[in-house]
Amino acid sequence: IRGPNTVRIEVPPRLSRIEPFQNVLNLKPYHERPQAPPDLVDSEDEFEVEDIIAHSAQGRTTEYLVRFVSYGPEDDLWLPEKNL
């Protein structure tokens, strides 16, 4: 049952477990954050890491969930140790 306080939101594929119908009380206004441009190092973009949120070890490979300066949780990425 969908009532007058229910809206359908666009859910990106990586968040497919989230129900696309939400009560308006669960929503917050979107405020765009100014994002710092990447530094150019050896002709490649380089971003500054703000925090390492989690890690996962699989065999000989360790990956880290990384948050970057001036970016929010929606931009967090799992990166292998060699890319840090």
Side-chain angles (χ1 to χ4, degrees), residues 22-53:
Q22 295 288 321
N23 187 295
V24 294
L25 297 176
N26 296 332
L27 304 177
K28 298 188 254 183
Y30 174 75
H31 299 286
E32 190 168 336
R33 294 181 198 93
Q35 297 181 340
D39 294 329
L40 197 58
V41 177
D42 296 329
S43 301
E44 292 188 23
D45 290 342
E46 187 169 282
F47 296 85
E48 184 177 351
V49 172
E50 178 178 308
D51 197 9
I52 294 179
I53 301 180

Side-chain angles (χ1 to χ4, degrees), residues 55-70:
H55 72 280
S56 173
Q58 298 173 350
R60 295 182 182 179
T61 305
T62 302
E63 292 187 334
Y64 297 91
L65 183 59
V66 177
R67 178 159 307 148
F68 299 97
V69 172
S70 299

Side-chain angles (χ1 to χ4, degrees), residues 1-19:
I1 297 175
R2 296 185 183 111
N5 292 331
T6 302
V7 294
R8 183 182 177 121
I9 59 173
E10 290 183 33
V11 180
R14 67 186 175 110
L15 301 174
S16 62
R17 289 184 276 164
I18 294 177
E19 170 64 40

